[in-house]
Amino acid sequence: INMIMQTAFFLISGIIKKDEAIKAIKDAIKKTYGKKGDKVVNMNYDAVDAAVDNIVKVKVPKRITGHELPPTVPEEAPEFVKEVTARMIEGKGEELKVSQIPADGRWPTATTQWEKRNIAVQVPEWDEDTCIQCGQCSLVCPHSCIRMKVVRPADLKEIKAPKAFKTVNAVGKQFKGMKFTIQVSTEDCVGCTLCFQVCPAKKKGKNGKATGEKALKMVANTEAVRKRESRNWKIFMSLPEVDDSLINPTTIKGSQLKRPLFEFSGACAGCGETPYIKLVTQLFGDRMLIANATGCSSIYGGNLPSTPYAKRADGRGPAWSNSLFEDNAEYGLGMRQTVNKMASQAIELLEAAVAEKLITRKFANELIKASQKTQQEIEEQRARVDELKSKLEDDNSAVARRLYHVADYLVKKSVWIFGGDGWAYDIGYGGLDHVLASGENVNVLVLDTEVYSNTGGQMSKSTPRAAVAQFAAGGKKMPKKDMGMIFSTYGNVYVARVALGANPAQVVKAVNEAEAYDGPSIIIAYAHCINHGINMALGLEQQKKAVACGHWPLYRYNPQLEEEGRNPLSIDSKDPTIPFAEYALGENRYRMLKMSNPAMVDELMEMSQKDVDKAWRFLKSRFAALEG
Amino acid sequence: INMIMQTAFFLISGIIKKDEAIKAIKDAIKKTYGKKGDKVVNMNYDAVDAAVDNIVKVKVPKRITGHELPPTVPEEAPEFVKEVTARMIEGKGEELKVSQIPADGRWPTATTQWEKRNIAVQVPEWDEDTCIQCGQCSLVCPHSCIRMKVVRPADLKEIKAPKAFKTVNAVGKQFKGMKFTIQVSTEDCVGCTLCFQVCPAKKKGKNGKATGEKALKMVANTEAVRKRESRNWKIFMSLPEVDDSLINPTTIKGSQLKRPLFEFSGACAGCGETPYIKLVTQLFGDRMLIANATGCSSIYGGNLPSTPYAKRADGRGPAWSNSLFEDNAEYGLGMRQTVNKMASQAIELLEAAVAEKLITRKFANELIKASQKTQQEIEEQRARVDELKSKLEDDNSAVARRLYHVADYLVKKSVWIFGGDGWAYDIGYGGLDHVLASGENVNVLVLDTEVYSNTGGQMSKSTPRAAVAQFAAGGKKMPKKDMGMIFSTYGNVYVARVALGANPAQVVKAVNEAEAYDGPSIIIAYAHCINHGINMALGLEQQKKAVACGHWPLYRYNPQLEEEGRNPLSIDSKDPTIPFAEYALGENRYRMLKMSNPAMVDELMEMSQKDVDKAWRFLKSRFAALEG
């Protein structure tokens, strides 16, 4: 776009002669993009030439006519959104009074839903008859825009769902007699096409043969589509959430029947990071605390005007904060220790409350000994805590007041530490290592793009050998740090290496296991990224190749299994089937070097292949040693 | 001693009744030392009782008679030592003028030799006829007080060595016709007995049977001994250093024929750390730069009034500095990069000097391409640099002046990073990891006492499971961090795990290999410590047990071998022969728990044994995988 605009500027302004201007622009293109290859250079040349041919004078009328702006946020938005968020969306943040800003630094969540961006050119359309209800489209959507529910016909009747709201008979024994629906929030969709790419369903024609179509197709996002689907979206959201007793959250489908509590973020179209975060919020969002390292995830996770972390209907959702780049693991450990301290205080106060006859011994025991392993058990404990609080509400004794204040900590909390590879492998590594070695029950999710993404692509210790990055212009010379194997040496740390594009079921399993393990856990998640120089629509395919070539082996190291006398290590991907170069040279970060220094790229590819072979052999030997 | 002095104070002052005072002191003993066991408590009780029985009135004369203090430092000491160091030794540092302190922050080294402490009650005496000239006594001496030389008879004649200066025919083909001597600096010796403990020689009686004596015996450090041996020490030091062409520095004996450039530090008697440092200075001290982390090694390494890092006769010796606890690896990396930059500038300037005909092409090439792998080659290059400097000395051209300034960097430098486990495993770990991953040629020596020693025994990530430390009063619950295996995952980092008491030859080999490897190296060295709660005279024996039980496996991971197609990993210790508990319960840090919580200690010992078995299996599997 800047080449087109430059060309137009010089041609219209006439401050340099046309031919001179075009030559200078093209020279600059050659200089800037030369190392990215002829294809990129020629695309830019074409943009300049097309701009020359297509300059058209547009008459600007004195005032705007025939077009009315909708309100910034709808009338039904909360007061804060209408009075504060909306002003910021309008670019009038400086008009806000200090008194309108939360005094304690807490900022309301779940506000992205009020900022409809309507930026997708094409949006997915669901074919309910072809759909196999697997949930993969929902799982991979980076913006939580495609969702699914199983509902009772009675619920549909009650809200008088129109015909345009599509449903189909739900698949699965436990859903007998119920309806299944998939709904897209087209106003929030960015048109990345990942849902369409991943859809495994094959549409059959009348002759019973595959038509080549899927259960999703990308259609133009017209005004008619917007109107229809935004209405459908409201209907979808008004339908009750799926009963947890019907859901197995350790499966893809089960996890996707739960409401994401992270939605409509400002991440890039096709982002490889956000689906992991969304998944975690689907499983544990109602009881999560998140410490977030600086990086992409702290930008799309907490930028203003609106915030993507969301809430259930009852107001429960993740509490999120970003401290510094370097201390994020410690920050999360502090959250864990605070929660533990509050919970142990609550238990002490329960004992005191029994002694003072405020509650019965039996009720106190129920509260203290409650199993809280499943969502249903969590909700049961919440009901008990509500009962406790109602008993204490009108009691002014010191014990009652103090217990009332900390009673919510009797419900299990899930503490998460999010960050990128720049944080985990480099800047925050010392702290991360210390926190994992502490034995405390924290869950770390590393969104691994193998490069500092947010700051524009600097080399990290996760960057593979041979990849071009800032500070590694000639291709990185050192091998990639094997952080998963490193942390597996502790023996009491849960470690998983996952890639959503390669094995989504393993991702869901790993997230569940990490959270269930009563000790430190780390999940290292491959995230494709614009910094890799790929077509982001094919990001999941590229993840598959990363695993297939052995560069990104999938595994889980679960200390819980060892306690049960089993091998703690499970290798979840197969022996490499393609060479490293086949994966790598599909990405511009590697291909760039091929153009600038072909001799060097061959040497680096050979070394990288050795790195991959060695790491794979190491993994297998680790498995064998743990069998003993 | 404080129990004795307390008792004396209360009995003499009479401010509390005798019986009351003794009861209060004994109660305090029980409270303070109870957890260390009855033996320790009773020793303190006995000290109190003995004090009661032995209070004697001493008449203090009005003035000092019959005893003349020697000068603080001898007349032959350098001016700085006489004017600055001596004042500080006398406790009159506050009388120094600001102008007497070096303005640029550099502090003269090699000054401990002027501060004779004369604190040993017993000192080793050498039996030249029993000695097998192995060098182990010299190797293990923590204070560099026992040394050896091979000299020519002509040299002895020249200095008119008296009869009291003992020599014997030197063993070894290359030393034919030469004399061997071992000399103790009794004025610097602290009487730790490690040299005596390690001596493997067996004295035979006239009947040819072993007498039970060794080649060293501990004798009373009388005034006569002091006079005789301090004279002998001066004779020893005045004899020429051993010719490097006669020395194989990769052997114990060879390394010990080289002069230590670290001597007479203020470390504890029997310190397990300092022998490693001394060894490194013997091999590379004339060209070393040292970045030292905060901890014991920064205290005994650079405390005032005197400094133990020393110099050869030509003034060359280690340059040493301590920055912060947390950034020591980075500090050392900066030294490496500075040295590299200066060397590359010197090479550029050599080219310019050839162009300007200041030197010949041939001479420049000799300087640039010089092999500098052995001590002799280093000295040859020094001679070339001297020649270069003499050629440039009187030339005022810009190239000559600049080249003169950086010419010394044409001689290879050896950059070392020293620190304890608190630094390497915990506080400086993030930086250490980053520096090792950089691929730069730095050598890291971790003096691993498995606990924060200097600050009084806090738990580090090196602290083994079950050991009692501060913050781990009930015995550490987490397993020890396997830092050696962690760094071996990089593949391009030289890693060695060594223990001087268990395999001294392997230590010498590892130090040589680490320095020779043109990339990052780390040596993790077991150091027994007063914090372990052991009889320090038996520290080396305890090191043997640490290795024998498999807690401290010895190995070297040398990437150089991999480049040659060989297995980079050598395991240098045998399969465990004793249980972990046999090693551990010989140390008070483990035994303490046995008294306070016997049930827990059994459980922790069992878990520790599993840790050891697992780590050993891991090491073997790593070896097997690398064979492939």
Side-chain angles (χ1 to χ4, degrees):
Chain A
I1 189 70
N2 59 342
M3 291 308 151
I4 294 167
M5 296 308 285
Q6 262 188 67
T7 308
F9 171 79
F10 285 113
L11 260 59
I12 295 167
S13 67
I15 55 172
I16 313 181
K17 275 186 203 154
K18 181 180 163 180
D19 294 345
E20 253 178 66
I22 289 170
K23 187 177 178 308
I25 292 170
K26 289 196 171 175
D27 287 350
I29 287 171
K30 181 82 192 161
K31 195 176 163 196
T32 310
Y33 301 116
K35 65 178 178 187
K36 294 198 174 180
D38 285 349
K39 197 177 159 195
V40 171
V41 170
N42 287 331
M43 281 164 68
N44 278 279
Y45 284 177
D46 291 349
V48 171
D49 294 340
V52 173
D53 295 342
N54 288 287
I55 291 177
V56 175
K57 190 162 185 175
V58 177
K59 275 196 182 167
V60 181
K62 290 238 159 72
R63 55 186 197 86
I64 298 166
T65 55
H67 188 84
E68 208 172 312
L69 274 175
T72 309
V73 298
E75 197 46 44
E76 64 268 30
E79 281 308 294
F80 182 85
V81 170
K82 282 195 281 189
E83 292 181 5
V84 177
T85 309
R87 291 295 81 70
M88 295 165 85
I89 294 174
E90 289 161 3
K92 293 180 182 165
E94 78 278 11
E95 292 176 10
L96 290 168
K97 295 176 205 151
V98 170
S99 60
Q100 288 180 280
I101 307 295
D104 62 0
R106 287 185 295 177
W107 199 266
T109 56
T111 54
T112 45
Q113 62 183 302
W114 307 111
E115 188 186 14
K116 296 300 179 201
R117 298 193 291 163
N118 286 292
I119 59 175
V121 177
Q122 288 193 308
V123 293
E125 188 178 77
W126 182 44
D127 172 357
E128 68 274 29
D129 295 321
T130 303
C131 180
I132 58 171
Q133 307 181 15
C134 68
Q136 289 195 60
C137 53
S138 166
L139 180 67
V140 304
C141 174
H143 290 80
S144 313
C145 297
I146 183 163
R147 300 193 189 176
M148 48 195 249
K149 269 184 185 169
V150 172
V151 291
R152 285 174 307 188
D155 292 325
L156 291 167
K157 211 174 260 177
E158 193 183 324
I159 60 160
K160 291 175 188 136
K163 245 193 157 171
F165 186 78
K166 294 193 264 186
T167 63
V168 65
N169 287 334
V171 170
K173 240 191 283 177
Q174 75 274 39
F175 300 128
K176 211 180 160 190
M178 298 179 78
K179 293 286 178 183
F180 177 86
T181 183
I182 279 188
Q183 181 59 46
V184 179
S185 177
T186 57
E187 292 200 296
D188 294 300
C189 175
V190 302
C192 74
T193 77
L194 286 192
C195 55
F196 164 74
Q197 298 288 350
V198 85
C199 178
K202 289 183 178 74
K203 184 171 179 162
K204 283 175 187 161
K206 283 182 182 162
N207 57 5
K209 280 189 183 161
T211 61
E213 287 183 289
K214 302 173 163 194
L216 290 173
K217 74 171 165 205
M218 298 304 293
V219 300
N221 188 15
T222 60
E223 184 61 14
V225 167
R226 190 186 70 76
K227 279 201 172 146
R228 183 185 72 224
E229 295 306 323
S230 60
R231 193 170 158 230
N232 281 342
W233 179 255
K234 279 184 195 157
I235 292 167
F236 178 86
M237 292 303 285
S238 72
L239 286 167
E241 297 297 326
V242 186
D243 187 337
D244 280 306
S245 69
L246 298 176
I247 289 178
N248 177 359
T250 67
T251 62
I252 296 175
K253 183 169 177 177
S255 68
Q256 295 314 305
L257 285 171
K258 290 171 73 75
R259 178 174 176 175
L261 296 177
F262 175 79
E263 60 188 12
F264 321 141
S265 78
C268 299
C271 176
E273 298 187 351
T274 47
Y276 294 109
I277 293 180
K278 184 188 56 173
L279 172 63
V280 177
T281 69
Q282 286 173 298
L283 296 170
F284 316 110
D286 60 303
R287 51 189 185 276
M288 269 176 95
L289 290 92
I290 306 168
N292 207 121
T294 304
C296 281
S297 57
S298 73
I299 307 303
Y300 59 63
N303 61 350
L304 290 185
S306 60
T307 51
Y309 285 95
K311 296 184 244 186
R312 308 199 304 196
D314 65 357
R316 299 190 194 279
W320 180 96
S321 189
N322 158 240
S323 168
L324 299 170
F325 207 154
E326 66 274 25
D327 71 357
N328 187 50
E330 296 90 322
Y331 192 45
L333 179 66
M335 293 181 181
R336 174 81 265 168
Q337 289 177 327
T338 305
V339 165
N340 289 356
K341 192 72 206 161
M342 300 299 243
S344 67
Q345 270 185 20
I347 288 170
E348 278 171 33
L349 288 164
L350 279 177
E351 298 292 345
V354 171
E356 297 197 6
K357 299 201 161 49
L358 302 179
I359 56 170
T360 65
R361 172 83 263 164
K362 182 167 169 283
F363 185 48
N365 281 352
E366 279 170 16
L367 278 159
I368 295 170
K369 292 175 183 163
S371 168
Q372 298 189 51
K373 289 187 177 159
T374 65
Q375 188 70 40
Q376 295 107 286
E377 288 175 345
I378 294 275
E379 305 296 356
E380 283 160 20
Q381 178 76 342
R382 283 197 177 118
R384 274 182 219 107
V385 169
D386 285 346
E387 190 187 335
L388 173 67
K389 285 167 88 172
S390 75
K391 279 184 209 291
L392 300 171
E393 206 153 22
D394 300 322
D395 190 319
N396 274 318
S397 72
V399 167
R401 290 331 314 139
R402 290 177 60 206
L403 179 52
Y404 187 89
H405 183 66
V406 295
D408 284 331
Y409 288 94
L410 292 165
V411 180
K412 199 173 125 183
K413 301 282 181 290
S414 184
V415 176
W416 287 79
I417 297 171
F418 289 171
D421 51 288
W423 163 70
Y425 288 71
D426 287 4
I427 293 176
Y429 177 62
L432 176 59
D433 175 70
H434 211 67
V435 168
L436 290 178
S438 74
E440 293 280 356
N441 185 4
V442 295
N443 307 290
V444 179
L445 173 63
V446 181
L447 303 154
D448 195 342
T449 60
E450 304 190 321
V451 75
Y452 286 76
S453 297
N454 187 52
T455 44
Q458 290 78 19
M459 169 179 86
S460 82
K461 290 205 285 294
S462 175
T463 304
R465 204 197 290 264
V468 173
Q470 285 187 42
F471 307 129
K476 194 184 171 204
K477 299 291 181 297
M478 297 292 143
K480 179 183 169 78
K481 174 170 168 179
D482 195 350
M483 197 166 67
M485 281 293 102
I486 286 172
F487 284 129
S488 83
T489 62
Y490 275 112
N492 65 335
V493 177
Y494 179 95
V495 182
R497 199 160 166 184
V498 306
L500 196 69
N503 190 342
Q506 187 243 12
V507 177
V508 178
K509 216 184 277 182
V511 171
N512 276 285
E513 285 176 352
E515 214 273 344
Y517 176 58
D518 186 19
S521 304
I522 181 166
I523 300 169
I524 306 172
Y526 187 97
H528 60 258
C529 177
I530 53 166
N531 277 292
H532 295 176
I534 55 166
N535 175 353
M536 291 289 278
L538 301 177
L540 298 167
E541 284 305 309
Q542 200 55 18
Q543 293 201 22
K544 268 198 192 96
K545 284 188 184 167
V547 172
C549 77
H551 167 63
W552 195 271
L554 305 179
Y555 56 80
R556 287 165 296 134
Y557 185 102
N558 189 350
Q560 187 61 43
L561 293 179
E562 194 165 28
E563 283 167 32
E564 297 162 12
R566 292 156 65 192
N567 190 333
L569 184 63
S570 321
I571 302 180
D572 299 320
S573 57
K574 290 182 188 149
D575 282 22
T577 53
I578 61 172
F580 175 76
E582 188 175 327
Y583 150 71
L585 296 177
E587 306 199 347
N588 231 1
R589 57 174 168 158
Y590 297 97
R591 218 161 31 208
M592 272 163 77
L593 199 62
K594 201 170 171 88
M595 294 152 201
S596 62
N597 193 343
M600 176 65 93
V601 85
D602 286 346
E603 192 186 315
L604 283 172
M605 282 294 140
E606 203 187 307
M607 289 170 82
S608 298
Q609 185 63 54
K610 276 188 191 156
D611 290 343
V612 164
D613 295 344
K614 217 167 118 179
W616 186 256
R617 234 171 25 237
F618 180 30
L619 180 63
K620 296 269 240 181
S621 74
R622 193 102 178 77
F623 176 83
L626 290 161
E627 282 284 287
Chain B
I1 188 70
N2 58 343
M3 292 307 152
I4 293 167
M5 297 308 285
Q6 262 189 63
T7 307
F9 171 79
F10 283 113
L11 260 59
I12 295 166
S13 67
I15 54 171
I16 313 181
K17 276 184 202 157
K18 181 180 163 179
D19 293 345
E20 253 177 66
I22 290 169
K23 186 176 178 307
I25 293 171
K26 289 195 172 173
D27 287 350
I29 288 170
K30 182 81 192 165
K31 194 176 163 197
T32 310
Y33 300 117
K35 64 179 177 186
K36 295 197 174 181
D38 283 350
K39 199 178 159 193
V40 172
V41 170
N42 287 330
M43 281 164 68
N44 278 279
Y45 283 178
D46 291 348
V48 171
D49 295 338
V52 172
D53 296 343
N54 289 288
I55 290 176
V56 174
K57 189 161 187 174
V58 177
K59 276 196 182 169
V60 182
K62 291 239 158 70
R63 57 188 193 83
I64 298 166
T65 55
H67 188 84
E68 208 170 313
L69 274 175
T72 310
V73 297
E75 197 46 44
E76 64 268 30
E79 280 309 294
F80 183 85
V81 169
K82 282 196 282 190
E83 292 182 4
V84 179
T85 309
R87 289 297 79 72
M88 295 166 85
I89 293 174
E90 290 161 1
K92 294 180 182 166
E94 79 279 9
E95 292 175 10
L96 290 169
K97 296 175 206 152
V98 169
S99 60
Q100 289 180 280
I101 306 296
D104 61 0
R106 288 184 296 176
W107 199 266
T109 57
T111 54
T112 45
Q113 63 182 300
W114 306 111
E115 188 186 16
K116 295 300 180 200
R117 297 194 290 162
N118 286 292
I119 59 173
V121 177
Q122 289 194 309
V123 293
E125 190 179 73
W126 181 45
D127 173 358
E128 68 274 30
D129 296 321
T130 303
C131 180
I132 58 170
Q133 306 182 14
C134 67
Q136 289 195 60
C137 54
S138 166
L139 179 68
V140 304
C141 174
H143 290 80
S144 312
C145 295
I146 183 163
R147 300 194 188 176
M148 48 195 250
K149 268 184 185 170
V150 172
V151 292
R152 286 173 307 188
D155 292 325
L156 291 166
K157 210 174 259 173
E158 194 184 322
I159 59 159
K160 291 177 186 134
K163 245 192 155 170
F165 186 79
K166 295 193 266 187
T167 63
V168 67
N169 287 334
V171 171
K173 240 191 282 176
Q174 75 274 40
F175 300 129
K176 213 183 158 185
M178 297 178 80
K179 293 286 180 185
F180 177 85
T181 184
I182 278 188
Q183 181 60 46
V184 179
S185 177
T186 57
E187 292 199 297
D188 295 300
C189 176
V190 302
C192 75
T193 78
L194 284 193
C195 55
F196 165 73
Q197 298 287 351
V198 85
C199 177
K202 289 185 177 70
K203 184 170 180 164
K204 283 177 188 160
K206 283 182 182 158
N207 57 5
K209 280 191 183 159
T211 61
E213 287 183 290
K214 302 172 163 196
L216 289 173
K217 74 172 168 207
M218 298 304 293
V219 301
N221 189 14
T222 61
E223 184 61 15
V225 167
R226 190 186 70 75
K227 278 199 172 147
R228 184 184 72 225
E229 295 306 324
S230 61
R231 194 169 158 231
N232 282 342
W233 178 256
K234 279 184 191 155
I235 292 166
F236 178 87
M237 292 304 286
S238 73
L239 287 166
E241 296 298 326
V242 186
D243 187 337
D244 280 307
S245 68
L246 299 176
I247 288 177
N248 175 358
T250 67
T251 63
I252 296 176
K253 184 170 179 178
S255 67
Q256 295 314 304
L257 286 170
K258 290 173 71 78
R259 178 174 176 176
L261 296 177
F262 174 80
E263 59 187 15
F264 321 142
S265 77
C268 299
C271 176
E273 297 187 352
T274 47
Y276 294 109
I277 293 181
K278 184 188 57 174
L279 172 63
V280 178
T281 68
Q282 286 173 299
L283 296 169
F284 316 110
D286 60 303
R287 52 190 183 275
M288 268 177 96
L289 290 91
I290 306 168
N292 207 122
T294 304
C296 280
S297 58
S298 73
I299 305 302
Y300 59 64
N303 61 350
L304 290 184
S306 60
T307 51
Y309 284 94
K311 297 183 243 185
R312 309 198 304 195
D314 66 358
R316 299 190 195 280
W320 181 95
S321 189
N322 158 240
S323 168
L324 299 171
F325 207 153
E326 65 274 25
D327 71 357
N328 187 51
E330 297 90 321
Y331 192 45
L333 179 66
M335 294 181 181
R336 174 81 266 166
Q337 289 177 327
T338 305
V339 164
N340 289 356
K341 191 73 204 159
M342 299 300 242
S344 66
Q345 269 185 21
I347 289 170
E348 277 171 34
L349 289 163
L350 279 177
E351 298 291 344
V354 171
E356 297 196 6
K357 299 197 161 46
L358 302 179
I359 55 171
T360 65
R361 173 82 263 163
K362 181 167 169 284
F363 184 49
N365 281 352
E366 280 170 15
L367 279 158
I368 295 169
K369 291 174 185 166
S371 168
Q372 299 188 52
K373 289 189 176 159
T374 66
Q375 188 69 41
Q376 295 108 285
E377 288 174 346
I378 294 275
E379 305 295 356
E380 284 159 21
Q381 179 75 343
R382 283 198 176 118
R384 274 182 219 108
V385 169
D386 285 346
E387 191 187 335
L388 172 67
K389 286 168 87 173
S390 75
K391 279 185 210 291
L392 301 172
E393 206 154 22
D394 301 322
D395 190 319
N396 275 319
S397 72
V399 167
R401 291 328 316 138
R402 289 179 59 206
L403 179 51
Y404 187 89
H405 183 66
V406 295
D408 284 331
Y409 288 95
L410 292 165
V411 180
K412 198 173 124 181
K413 300 283 182 287
S414 185
V415 176
W416 286 79
I417 297 171
F418 289 172
D421 50 288
W423 163 71
Y425 288 71
D426 287 3
I427 293 177
Y429 177 61
L432 176 59
D433 175 71
H434 210 68
V435 167
L436 290 178
S438 74
E440 293 280 355
N441 185 4
V442 294
N443 307 291
V444 179
L445 172 62
V446 181
L447 304 154
D448 194 343
T449 60
E450 304 190 320
V451 74
Y452 286 76
S453 297
N454 187 51
T455 43
Q458 292 77 19
M459 169 180 85
S460 82
K461 289 204 286 293
S462 174
T463 303
R465 203 197 290 262
V468 173
Q470 285 186 43
F471 307 128
K476 195 185 172 205
K477 300 290 182 297
M478 297 291 144
K480 179 183 171 78
K481 173 170 169 178
D482 195 351
M483 196 167 67
M485 280 294 102
I486 285 172
F487 283 129
S488 83
T489 61
Y490 275 113
N492 64 336
V493 177
Y494 179 94
V495 182
R497 199 162 167 183
V498 306
L500 196 68
N503 190 342
Q506 187 244 11
V507 177
V508 177
K509 216 184 275 181
V511 171
N512 275 285
E513 285 175 353
E515 214 274 342
Y517 176 58
D518 187 18
S521 305
I522 180 166
I523 299 169
I524 306 172
Y526 187 98
H528 60 259
C529 177
I530 54 166
N531 277 292
H532 295 176
I534 55 167
N535 174 355
M536 291 290 278
L538 302 177
L540 299 168
E541 284 304 309
Q542 200 55 20
Q543 293 200 22
K544 268 197 193 94
K545 285 188 185 166
V547 172
C549 76
H551 166 63
W552 195 271
L554 305 179
Y555 56 79
R556 288 165 295 134
Y557 185 103
N558 189 350
Q560 186 61 44
L561 294 179
E562 194 166 29
E563 283 168 31
E564 296 162 12
R566 294 156 64 192
N567 190 332
L569 183 63
S570 321
I571 302 180
D572 299 321
S573 57
K574 290 183 188 147
D575 282 20
T577 54
I578 61 171
F580 176 75
E582 188 175 328
Y583 150 71
L585 297 177
E587 305 198 346
N588 231 359
R589 59 174 166 157
Y590 297 97
R591 218 162 30 208
M592 273 162 77
L593 198 61
K594 203 170 169 86
M595 293 152 203
S596 63
N597 194 343
M600 175 65 93
V601 83
D602 287 346
E603 190 187 317
L604 283 173
M605 283 294 139
E606 205 188 306
M607 288 171 82
S608 298
Q609 186 63 53
K610 276 189 192 157
D611 290 343
V612 164
D613 295 345
K614 215 167 120 179
W616 186 256
R617 235 172 23 236
F618 180 30
L619 180 63
K620 297 271 239 181
S621 74
R622 193 101 179 76
F623 177 83
L626 290 161
E627 283 285 287

